[in-house]
Each structure stands twice: as structure tokens, then as C-alpha cells.
Amino acid sequence: MGFYSVRWYKNGEQFYSFVPKNTPQVKVDHHLRGVTVELTQSDEHRVTLRELRLDSDGVYRCEVMSEAPTFQTSFASSNMTVVVMPEAPVLKGLRGVYRVGDILNVTCTARDAFPHATLTFHVNGRLVHPGSGRVQELPTTEGTYPGVYSSTSRLVLPLSEHHAPTLSLVCYAHVLSLSVPIEASIKVEPPRTPILSFFNAAGSGPGAPYLASLLLGICLTHRLLLPCLLLSCTSTS
């Protein structure tokens, strides 16, 4: 037994119908808001939509009616979600060079997404867990046009020896099962070598006051000898 017609609905409203035995065959686009049918690529087996928008999402149902005399109807439905992917996220706050012991404080922003993007940070290939205390999710804001949102998260990470000499930082913007990354390579140098003074090296032992007096005496002697040498040179000339 063949079928009499195929009809498609979105959220209960018909937007496409096809009666194959009509002569000529008629395909009808009912011009439902958010649904534009590509008639040349639609038939009794499938329907093709173009120019999808945010208001294109919803529950879609296909209904097939058999031929006379029964005109029995069968249908199947499924939900379609339309997402808006952001462009590559933007990292802010990066410096050219860091040293071990510095704090990496950087924000990652994904603009104009629907639904709003979830941001994650990966350091040297490992996820920085959102519950680690290193990641702060900032409030979501409205995007540059209605219906989309911008998301920002902050990463605060103390840098240690295992981050040197190069740290790979990746921020992913996730929208449902899709993601968009941005990557940065950060140079991490060893810590600065501390400069030890002679007095610090001498410590605070019992000989420290005598050592200080000796150094002071040497300095005074050299300050007195300098005029004498100059005077002697002047007299001989």
C-alpha cells in the first residue's frame, strides 16, 4: 500500500506538505516563521531547511497518511536545537614572560553564543578542574544582538618549576557538544637568583660585631690614605 501525503509540522504547525500522486506533484512551503523549506531538495523522504535561525528550533513531526480507503496516519517526531557558536575565545591579561613564583592571572571570553558558552582551561594538556579554586566564572552578559550571550572565566594559577620553560594554555568555549579553542604558549623562566650581602652571610653569631668593626676600620683607613697619596704625589712633582 502506498501513501497519500506527507506533512511536516513544527511545534504543531504545518510548514510543508507533499502529495506525490497529484499531477503535477505539488510541494507546499507554508512559510512558517523560522522555517524556510528548500523545495528542490525536499520530497516524500526528507525535508531540507535553509537559513536556520534561533527561532527555527522546536519539535518537528513528520506525518504520513496512507491511501484510500483507510487513510491511516503514522508519525514520528524529534526535537531540533539551533545553536550559535562563538568565534574563537579571547584571552586577556597575558604577559610576554613569567618567572617561577609569579601568578598567572588571565581571563577568557567567548562572545555571542546561544546557549551561553561554558569555558574550561587546560594547562599543559590537563584540565584545570572548575572546583579547584583556580577558576572563577564571571557573570554572563548579553551579546551584541538579541538572543545571544557572552561568557567570561578567570584563571588564577601560581607558577612552579614544572611549568617551566614553556606553559601551554588552552581555553575551550563549549556550546552543548561543540567547542571552540584558543591556545597560547607562555614562557616561564627560572626564579631570580637572590643577592646575598656579606652581612647576611656572616649571620648573627658572636663574631658578627667584630667583623663589622673590622670592615668599618678598613673603609676609614682607605678614606684617610687617599688624601695622603694625593698629597705625596703633589709634593714630589
Side-chain angles (χ1 to χ4, degrees), residues 4 7 19 22 29 45 49 51 57 63 82 88 92 94 98 104 120 149 151 153 166 177 185 209 214 220 232:
Y4 172 72
R7 302 178 192 277
V19 182
N22 283 357
D29 180 358
H45 301 293
L49 308 182
E51 300 175 3
D57 65 354
E63 181 182 276
V82 177
K92 289 187 177 181
L94 286 175
Y98 290 82
L104 176 65
T120 59
Y149 303 92
S151 306
S153 289
T166 304
S177 60
S185 182
L214 176 61
L220 290 175
S232 175

Side-chain angles (χ1 to χ4, degrees), residues 97-114:
V97 179
Y98 290 82
R99 289 188 179 273
V100 171
D102 289 348
I103 302 295
L104 176 65
N105 189 332
V106 61
T107 60
C108 180
T109 300
R111 295 184 175 89
D112 297 343
F114 178 84

Side-chain angles (χ1 to χ4, degrees), residues 33-65:
R33 179 178 176 85
V35 180
T36 303
V37 180
E38 184 61 65
L39 291 176
T40 60
Q41 299 181 33
S42 302
D43 52 28
E44 68 271 27
H45 301 293
R46 65 182 181 274
V47 65
T48 302
L49 308 182
R50 56 184 173 87
E51 300 175 3
L52 294 180
R53 310 179 314 198
L54 287 176
D55 56 359
S56 300
D57 65 354
V59 178
Y60 285 76
R61 186 180 71 180
C62 171
E63 181 182 276
V64 179
M65 181 179 292

Side-chain angles (χ1 to χ4, degrees), residues 96-226:
V97 179
Y98 290 82
R99 289 188 179 273
V100 171
D102 289 348
I103 302 295
L104 176 65
N105 189 332
V106 61
T107 60
C108 180
T109 300
R111 295 184 175 89
D112 297 343
F114 178 84
H116 75 273
T118 300
L119 301 172
T120 59
F121 292 97
H122 292 248
V123 173
N124 291 340
R126 300 183 64 180
L127 171 68
V128 182
H129 196 276
S132 64
R134 306 295 187 193
V135 179
Q136 177 188 6
E137 183 177 340
L138 302 180
T140 300
T141 58
E142 294 184 354
T144 58
Y145 58 93
V148 295
Y149 303 92
S150 296
S151 306
T152 300
S153 289
R154 182 186 305 276
L155 172 67
V156 180
L157 180 68
L159 299 178
S160 59
E161 288 82 359
H162 73 271
H163 294 128
T166 304
L167 181 148
S168 173
L169 174 65
V170 184
C171 175
Y172 288 93
H174 304 273
V175 178
L176 300 183
S177 60
L178 306 175
S179 63
V180 181
I182 182 67
E183 184 173 358
S185 182
I186 303 169
K187 185 177 182 181
V188 181
E189 296 183 344
R192 290 183 176 87
T193 303
I195 301 175
L196 297 177
S197 68
F198 191 83
F199 293 103
N200 287 340
S204 57
Y210 301 102
L211 179 59
S213 300
L214 176 61
L215 290 173
L216 181 60
I218 293 174
C219 293
L220 290 175
T221 302
H222 278 278
R223 291 187 63 185
L224 292 174
L225 285 176
L226 183 58

